[in-house]
Amino acid sequence: KKQNASYANSGVQADYVLCAVQNHLGSSAYQGHYTADVMDWTTGRFYEFNDGEVTLLEDGPVSSFEPDSDEDRRLTRGSEDAYNLFYVEKSYLSMKSLDEIAKVTEINNRKQETHDNVLVSMKFERDEHYDREEKVQKKMNRRTKRLQERSNLICRRLLFRDKALMGHASDFSSGQSVWLDSSMLRCFFSCDDSLDEYFRKARVASILNNNSYLCKHSNGLNPYVACRGKLVSFEMYKAVKEIIEAEYESFLRD
């Protein structure tokens, strides 16, 4: 594991530590295969490098000897494949090992800091996502409540009151009836959000005002659009008008 040596000029003794072994596998110097057993300076553990494979050597390099063994340092382990042995002075190795450990520690600290920053960023993005989802959900809940309120009003004011819904023949003959567009009525009675398209285009006035459908040549409805509507009693028209206007106010608040 270590070997005593003298500096050439100072006469100071130094301990050297085996750090790497180059192995040659083959029957002659002209052909064969090379591997390397190399020590990790920060841990003291050896690894075998064989092309693309790296293997931990639990007992260290095979081409080493035990300096404290009996019988005049007899080889307790060895290999005829050892080609070059590399030693590093112990104090220098210690200094470089400490530097390397410091670098690794700093890198790990930076990785941890980066990891923490990533976690903070993920939490921020997650909170933002939840806030957006919560706003969307609240808006959907308000819309559901608004549509449910329309359904309740239709049932309470229209569907269960035959006179209001159908009107009397005298109402239509006496002019007490109102023409309404069938497409709008389907959106209205469906109790879904299809009526919102009218609200978004600020067409509430056109829903309830039929002047745009009047024929330019007479005071009546344009014959081409008259077939696309329905005559309802004036009482039903008033109920539809009040329900739509109230819902439009709720739509604007949402």
Side-chain angles (χ1 to χ4, degrees):
K1 291 287 178 90
K2 70 179 181 178
Q3 178 179 343
N4 291 330
S6 297
Y7 288 114
N9 299 324
S10 64
V12 178
Q13 284 193 337
D15 290 336
Y16 284 77
V17 179
L18 178 67
C19 291
V21 178
Q22 183 183 20
N23 300 302
H24 175 262
L25 310 176
S27 58
S28 73
Y30 299 101
Q31 60 86 28
H33 177 68
Y34 288 95
T35 65
D37 301 338
V38 182
M39 183 180 73
D40 178 359
W41 288 15
T42 60
T43 62
R45 309 187 76 176
F46 273 84
Y47 295 86
E48 179 189 54
F49 293 82
N50 186 355
D51 289 338
E53 296 183 3
V54 179
T55 306
L56 173 65
L57 300 175
E58 295 286 353
D59 299 323
V62 295
S63 303
S64 62
F65 66 91
E66 297 292 343
D68 299 326
S69 63
D70 297 334
E71 299 183 11
D72 196 20
R73 293 187 176 178
R74 179 178 58 83
L75 287 175
T76 57
R77 289 178 296 154
S79 171
E80 61 182 8
D81 298 327
Y83 185 71
N84 285 313
L85 283 74
F86 300 86
Y87 290 85
V88 177
E89 198 270 320
K90 187 175 182 180
S91 61
Y92 178 82
L93 177 64
S94 299
M95 179 182 66
K96 290 299 181 181
S97 297
L98 292 175
D99 290 343
E100 188 66 24
I101 291 173
K103 290 179 182 178
V104 172
T105 302
E106 182 179 359
I107 291 173
N108 288 337
N109 290 338
R110 288 179 180 176
K111 288 183 178 179
Q112 183 63 41
E113 183 179 354
T114 302
H115 178 70
D116 294 340
N117 291 337
V118 170
L119 292 179
V120 171
S121 177
M122 289 176 61
K123 181 180 183 303
F124 178 76
E125 293 178 0
R126 184 174 63 249
D127 291 343
E128 277 194 331
H129 174 74
Y130 286 160
D131 289 341
R132 289 194 299 269
E133 289 297 318
E134 184 178 14
K135 290 179 182 179
V136 171
Q137 187 60 48
K138 286 182 178 180
K139 186 174 182 179
M140 292 178 62
N141 291 341
R142 291 194 299 267
R143 183 182 64 180
T144 301
K145 182 179 180 181
R146 173 165 55 84
L147 298 178
Q148 184 62 47
E149 180 64 19
R150 188 205 306 175
S151 176
N152 294 338
L153 289 173
I154 289 175
C155 292
R156 191 163 61 246
R157 299 188 59 180
L158 297 174
L159 297 185
F160 298 148
R161 299 177 62 183
D162 294 338
K163 179 182 178 180
L165 180 62
M166 302 301 298
H168 291 299
S170 59
D171 293 336
F172 298 115
S173 61
S174 61
Q176 297 299 315
S177 60
V178 180
W179 181 92
L180 290 178
D181 181 66
S182 296
S183 297
M184 184 278 297
L185 285 176
R186 280 194 296 270
C187 294
F188 176 75
F189 282 107
S190 66
C191 292
D192 57 20
D193 59 357
S194 56
L195 197 61
D196 290 1
E197 186 64 24
Y198 289 89
F199 293 158
R200 278 190 289 270
K201 295 181 179 179
R203 294 171 55 188
V204 176
S206 66
I207 295 176
L208 304 171
N209 187 349
N210 295 326
N211 290 334
S212 60
Y213 298 106
L214 294 178
C215 180
K216 297 180 180 179
H217 306 290
S218 66
N219 294 328
L221 285 172
N222 188 318
Y224 292 103
V225 298
C227 60
R228 301 202 307 262
K230 178 179 178 61
L231 283 176
V232 299
S233 67
F234 186 72
E235 185 176 353
M236 176 181 176
Y237 168 77
K238 285 172 53 180
V240 171
K241 177 176 181 293
E242 291 171 0
I243 293 173
I244 289 179
E245 288 177 339
E247 184 175 344
Y248 181 62
E249 293 298 324
S250 298
F251 175 83
L252 294 179
R253 288 194 297 270
D254 293 344

